[in-house]
Amino acid sequence: MPKYDPIAGKYIYLTVQGIEYRIYMEESGKGIPIICQHAGGSQTLEWRFMLNDPEIISKYHVVSADLPYHGKSMPPDSVEWWKEDYKLTKSFFMDFQIELSRALGWKNHLSRPEFGGFPGPGSGLGPSR
């Protein structure tokens, strides 16, 4: 019998700030939802240690998604993205997190950003819309 990795990868469509993006995400585990988000210039690969940790995935449903223009998430087809400078702003990052959690049907979840710690949208502890 082959041995399979516990991580499942797939694409999800999110509309963030009026633009639809095809987003690559990986998930693993069951339990309390947690979104692990990479910083600009990286990808979901940096969270593989959490997505593969038996102790973590026995308690948490871990999701990591590539931001648009990163990893396996390509630029959107609906805009001429090559004519604009790419800027990852705080408002875009927060809106991305909110839309991802909505698409997953998560009203409350933990958030683990790679570039510092702030509570996830919908956690009741940080920004929410």
Side-chain angles (χ1 to χ4, degrees), residues 103-116:
L104 296 172
W106 294 356
K107 293 185 182 197
N108 293 295
H109 68 277
L110 302 172
S111 182
R112 176 59 179 100
E114 185 269 334
F115 49 88

Side-chain angles (χ1 to χ4, degrees), residues 28 34 36 47-53 56-57 62 112:
S28 184
I34 182 169
C36 296
W47 295 105
R48 198 159 289 279
F49 73 97
M50 285 189 68
L51 291 158
N52 273 313
D53 186 297
I56 291 172
I57 63 177
V62 182
R112 176 59 179 100

Side-chain angles (χ1 to χ4, degrees), residues 21-78:
Y21 297 94
R22 180 176 177 251
I23 301 300
Y24 178 74
M25 61 176 268
E26 294 182 342
E27 63 184 332
S28 184
K30 294 180 180 167
I32 299 167
I34 182 169
I35 295 176
C36 296
Q37 187 60 64
H38 67 78
S42 191
Q43 60 182 319
T44 60
L45 183 62
E46 75 177 60
W47 295 105
R48 198 159 289 279
F49 73 97
M50 285 189 68
L51 291 158
N52 273 313
D53 186 297
E55 187 176 346
I56 291 172
I57 63 177
S58 71
K59 299 174 188 168
Y60 298 95
H61 180 173
V62 182
V63 168
S64 180
D66 285 337
L67 290 166
Y69 304 90
H70 294 77
K72 294 182 180 179
S73 293
M74 301 305 289
D77 291 332
S78 61

Side-chain angles (χ1 to χ4, degrees), residues 75-121:
D77 291 332
S78 61
V79 296
E80 293 179 332
W81 55 269
W82 58 91
K83 292 183 178 180
E84 301 175 13
D85 289 335
Y86 173 71
K87 295 178 182 160
L88 179 57
T89 64
K90 180 180 177 182
S91 71
F92 182 86
F93 177 81
M94 292 302 298
D95 289 348
F96 180 84
Q97 292 288 304
I98 290 166
E99 291 307 317
L100 178 59
S101 63
R102 281 185 188 155
L104 296 172
W106 294 356
K107 293 185 182 197
N108 293 295
H109 68 277
L110 302 172
S111 182
R112 176 59 179 100
E114 185 269 334
F115 49 88
F118 57 84

